[in-house]
Amino acid sequence: MKNSIISLSILQLVYDKLAKISTIEITEENAPDGISLNAYKFPDLFLDSQNDTDQSGSSEMHNIRNEIYKKLNLNEKTDRLEYHFIRVQYYKKPDEYLKEYYSKINSNKASVYNFFIFFCKTNKSVEINDFRILQDFRYDFLYIQDLLDSAYLDLNEVDNSKLEVLAFVLEKICSFLQITIPENIELPTTILKQKREVELLQNFEEFLKLTTRGNISNKELKRQSRILFDYKIEAPFYDVLYDGDFDFLLDSTNYWHSDWKFDPEDAEYFISEIIGQELNFEYPEETYSHDLFPYIQSALGKLGLELMTYETGGDDYLFFAAHKEDVGRILKLSELIKIKIYQL
């Protein structure tokens, strides 16, 4: 069974590295992300921060300490805070892959996450055997006020998205500090990648199910979804299916691959094949190609259908018919899987 990277052994390794240099700044080139780590002594910090203490509303250090004990769910009589703690500040502008986590914590487009990691001795231990975490979202540096306003993070909350962010940050910190992470610890980036791949494959399956109007066997749906999925994993930055990339789709009568120039007779024949019933539509004489779209859509609309096309990257079309009520969802899915779809 894999273990979490948010563990006492990993945090102690981070602190051992940090204690030698006190402050570490980690920035990502060409990105707004940044991580700042500081090592502090407790309670020395309070004695050295009289101005900050006054702003917190309490000038007595032991009152502040007692409040922090309560926040950390520690018993002052039987448990004891170690004299050191780590403050981790993570500045992040949410990207499309992580914003689902951040939106649960803070709705700001750009956010800062402060984690205070205290080492402690619990159950009458004479050595450090546990840790506690507080978090807040302040941009300033009122350390004591930050602590007093922070919230306790419960490691037992399995779905705690805040801990997922900390795990992600901690992995970056370990990489920067060249700390070797044991093999029995599952890395957050690996977990996130696996989760993204599962969701992406599900999106492809839904996408193909809607673009075929459900006229596809479950076996074929799985096969074609995997083909598209593998294609996007290999070429994640391309949102166009080029000639040859969509050949597997043409085995199905749910699609019509056409040159940019086509006549009404071809349109009637192939669209009839797509929808599984004869389609006839009226049009003015000498009307061809894209000029036929209004007449085609009018006829399909009476059947609750709409003609759409893939972006092929050329002067051709890859037509399919969708239920009109599914068009909005198809367009949304096309954004998620990065394959362009157009209404006509």
Side-chain angles (χ1 to χ4, degrees):
M1 180 177 179
K2 297 289 186 178
N3 298 314
S4 171
I5 193 173
I6 308 176
S7 63
L8 180 62
S9 59
I10 295 295
L11 291 172
Q12 284 184 314
L13 289 173
V14 171
Y15 181 81
D16 290 343
K17 292 264 190 176
L18 182 60
K20 299 176 182 178
I21 50 181
S22 183
T23 300
I24 295 175
E25 298 288 341
I26 305 173
T27 58
E28 297 186 10
E29 186 176 0
N30 300 322
D33 298 6
I35 301 171
S36 174
L37 293 93
N38 297 90
Y40 295 109
K41 291 184 178 181
F42 182 90
D44 293 12
L45 169 67
F46 306 110
L47 300 177
D48 296 336
S49 305
Q50 186 63 40
N51 291 334
D52 191 8
T53 302
D54 292 340
Q55 292 181 41
S56 72
S58 175
S59 59
E60 298 182 9
M61 181 270 291
H62 71 273
N63 288 340
I64 299 173
R65 181 184 59 191
N66 291 344
E67 182 64 25
I68 293 175
Y69 266 90
K70 292 178 183 179
K71 282 183 174 291
L72 296 175
N73 196 26
L74 291 174
N75 187 320
E76 187 178 5
K77 294 182 179 179
T78 59
D79 302 326
R80 177 184 166 191
L81 286 175
E82 181 58 14
Y83 288 120
H84 303 88
F85 69 92
I86 301 173
R87 174 176 176 149
V88 179
Q89 290 181 297
Y90 179 44
Y91 302 89
K92 177 66 185 178
K93 184 175 182 179
D95 56 37
E96 63 179 301
Y97 303 127
L98 295 177
K99 64 183 178 183
E100 61 179 297
Y101 294 142
Y102 306 145
S103 63
K104 297 176 184 177
I105 304 170
N106 191 332
S107 61
N108 292 335
K109 293 182 179 180
S111 304
V112 59
Y113 307 99
N114 295 298
F115 298 96
F116 302 94
I117 304 169
F118 287 84
F119 297 98
C120 52
K121 302 172 182 178
T122 59
N123 300 320
K124 299 181 180 180
S125 174
V126 296
E127 297 181 349
I128 294 173
N129 67 337
D130 207 346
F131 64 94
R132 296 287 193 274
I133 303 173
L134 299 177
Q135 184 186 36
D136 74 2
F137 305 106
R138 290 183 181 273
Y139 283 82
D140 51 31
F141 295 93
L142 296 176
Y143 298 118
I144 296 175
Q145 192 64 51
D146 289 355
L147 288 171
L148 294 176
D149 291 342
S150 60
Y152 176 59
L153 293 186
D154 190 347
L155 292 174
N156 295 320
E157 293 184 13
V158 179
D159 296 326
N160 196 324
S161 58
K162 300 173 187 178
L163 293 178
E164 292 177 327
V165 174
L166 177 57
F168 177 78
V169 173
L170 191 56
E171 181 182 346
K172 290 192 173 189
I173 292 171
C174 289
S175 175
F176 182 84
L177 297 177
Q178 298 182 327
I179 293 174
T180 301
I181 301 175
E183 292 184 359
N184 68 326
I185 291 179
E186 192 166 30
L187 298 180
T189 51
T190 300
I191 298 173
L192 181 61
K193 181 181 178 181
Q194 292 172 344
K195 182 175 182 293
R196 282 180 52 213
E197 289 185 351
V198 169
E199 292 175 348
L200 186 58
L201 187 55
Q202 290 174 341
N203 287 337
F204 277 119
E205 290 182 1
E206 183 184 0
F207 176 77
L208 287 178
K209 188 172 184 178
L210 294 180
T211 58
T212 61
R213 306 184 318 286
N215 297 321
I216 185 172
S217 68
N218 188 61
K219 180 179 180 180
E220 189 66 8
L221 178 64
K222 298 291 185 182
R223 184 184 76 86
Q224 293 193 13
S225 297
R226 173 56 64 174
I227 291 173
L228 270 180
F229 173 83
D230 291 341
Y231 169 80
K232 293 304 294 181
I233 291 299
E234 292 295 325
F237 302 108
Y238 295 95
D239 55 9
V240 173
L241 286 176
Y242 291 99
D243 190 23
D245 292 332
F246 50 79
D247 284 350
F248 69 95
L249 292 173
L250 305 182
D251 296 336
S252 169
T253 58
N254 290 299
Y255 302 91
W256 170 31
H257 189 198
S258 170
D259 188 70
W260 72 271
K261 188 175 183 179
F262 54 89
D263 57 40
E265 291 76 19
D266 285 340
E268 288 183 331
Y269 174 80
F270 287 110
I271 295 175
S272 295
E273 288 288 301
I274 290 176
I275 65 175
Q277 66 183 84
E278 186 174 352
L279 179 75
N280 299 112
F281 55 89
E282 296 182 357
Y283 52 89
E285 292 186 11
E286 303 300 320
T287 304
Y288 303 96
S289 306
H290 65 273
D291 291 331
L292 291 168
F293 289 155
Y295 309 103
I296 295 173
Q297 299 290 36
S298 178
L300 285 174
K302 296 175 182 178
L303 302 176
L305 301 173
E306 181 174 328
L307 192 67
M308 306 182 74
T309 184
Y310 282 83
E311 168 58 76
T312 66
D315 58 354
D316 53 347
Y317 295 99
L318 184 59
F319 293 117
F320 64 93
H323 292 295
K324 293 186 75 67
E325 63 267 24
D326 294 333
V327 170
R329 180 58 179 166
I330 289 172
L331 293 172
K332 178 61 178 178
L333 287 168
S334 75
E335 294 178 2
L336 295 174
I337 65 178
K338 304 300 180 185
I339 294 179
K340 285 184 179 179
I341 293 293
Y342 290 122
Q343 290 181 278
L344 301 170

